[in-house]
Amino acid sequence: MLWPFTLIGGGAGYAIASIPGAMLGALLGQALDRRLHVQSLAELRERLAGRKVPRDDELIFILLGRVAKTDGRVVDGHIQQARVEMRRLDLSEPATRRAIAAFNRGKDGRDNLRVHLMRLKNQPHAAEGLLRACWRMAWADGRASRGERELIVSWGKWLGWTAEKVEALSATEDEQRSRSPASSGGEYQEALRLLGVRSDAEPAQIKRAYRRLLSRHHPDKVAGSGASPVQVRDATEKTRDLHHAYAVVRERRGFR
């Protein structure tokens, strides 16, 4: 990782006072990099161009906006899918407003997304969540176009994934989409069963059950307890099922 102010400070220090100056300049530059959270020269250029570094809950919607606009036109299915993702993440009202702004920001296509995605290269679970959401957006209009596929695969490579692994996520998301439409009564009952709540449960009770299960099965928590790769993968799938179940129940019951 090239810390820009560290490099600039080291170079300037060397020019002024040789090696001792370089060491002092690099230390001062590193302190500035950490304070400003600047991790690369490309990110510094983004800052200087006036592009605000997105929060984690904004980055996903910037990506979704970019996917939706890939073929030149955002259709109603894309808008509906963005709303589904907002419900899936259980966003607060301020976070929802930020997500809408981020989605629109993604559509303009001016962000250097490589800068932001490279920061998640060592966070496999966060990376998988982003890629899955992008595939769901790609399939929102009933098909994942060649342009959308190439875009998501390129993002996966920046995250450290192989093209084959990224494409495999597309297949699983399409299979789930075709297998379980949100309007299905059977799916609603299955979602209630997975969350462990009754059909007459209050929204607050459903939300508590969802969060309790999410905390218990989150892959990061399972991985931290020394679980095997298979157990972590199972936890990832369980977490995805919980997200989907909660989204189904919220849509059917009409609560935030």
Side-chain angles (χ1 to χ4, degrees), residues 56-67:
D56 289 345
D57 61 351
E58 294 172 323
L59 178 58
I60 182 172
F61 289 98
I62 291 175
L63 296 172
L64 296 180
R66 182 73 66 85
V67 172

Side-chain angles (χ1 to χ4, degrees), residues 120-142:
L120 300 177
K121 196 169 183 179
N122 295 320
Q123 300 180 42
H125 302 306
E128 180 174 345
L130 286 177
L131 293 171
R132 285 188 179 279
C134 289
W135 281 122
R136 289 192 292 269
M137 180 60 72
W139 283 107
D141 59 354

Side-chain angles (χ1 to χ4, degrees), residues 33-231:
D33 280 324
R34 292 185 182 280
R35 182 176 181 81
L36 297 178
H37 304 288
V38 178
Q39 300 182 13
S40 69
L41 290 170
E43 187 172 331
L44 178 59
R45 286 194 295 270
E46 287 280 289
R47 293 278 192 96
L48 294 175
R51 304 293 288 177
K52 186 185 75 169
V53 176
R55 298 158 49 112
D56 289 345
D57 61 351
E58 294 172 323
L59 178 58
I60 182 172
F61 289 98
I62 291 175
L63 296 172
L64 296 180
R66 182 73 66 85
V67 172
K69 194 63 182 292
T70 299
D71 295 328
R73 179 168 173 263
V74 178
V75 300
D76 185 62
H78 294 135
I79 302 299
Q80 294 301 322
Q81 185 59 39
R83 290 172 179 164
V84 168
E85 298 298 336
M86 292 175 199
R87 290 195 295 269
R88 184 187 294 271
L89 294 173
D90 193 22
L91 298 182
S92 64
E93 186 173 340
T96 298
R97 289 196 295 269
R98 290 197 301 270
I100 294 170
F103 184 78
N104 291 328
R105 174 176 167 176
K107 290 190 295 183
D108 73 27
R110 290 189 292 152
D111 281 279
N112 181 355
L113 293 174
R114 182 170 189 167
V115 172
H116 308 307
L117 291 174
M118 290 290 285
R119 290 186 293 140
L120 300 177
K121 196 169 183 179
N122 295 320
Q123 300 180 42
H125 302 306
E128 180 174 345
L130 286 177
L131 293 171
R132 285 188 179 279
C134 289
W135 281 122
R136 289 192 292 269
M137 180 60 72
W139 283 107
D141 59 354
R143 67 182 188 90
S145 71
R146 179 177 178 180
E148 290 167 335
R149 288 182 176 278
E150 291 176 349
L151 185 64
I152 298 172
V153 167
S154 71
W155 291 346
K157 290 179 179 178
W158 295 342
L159 289 165
W161 289 49
T162 64
E164 292 76 14
K165 190 175 178 182
V166 177
E167 286 282 4
L169 290 182
S170 170
T172 59
E173 289 301 328
D174 180 41
E175 181 182 354
Q176 183 171 333
R177 180 187 66 87
S178 60
R179 186 178 65 239
S180 53
S183 60
S184 167
E187 184 188 35
Y188 175 62
Q189 294 300 322
E190 176 61 20
L192 292 172
R193 185 198 65 76
L194 187 61
L195 295 172
V197 296
R198 294 162 52 94
S199 59
D200 59 353
E202 293 294 324
Q205 181 183 355
I206 297 171
K207 184 176 293 188
R208 284 195 299 270
Y210 164 68
R211 289 178 172 170
R212 183 175 63 252
L213 290 168
L214 204 59
S215 175
R216 182 188 306 167
H217 296 288
H218 197 283
D220 290 338
K221 184 174 183 179
V222 173
S225 65
S228 68
V230 172
Q231 290 173 313

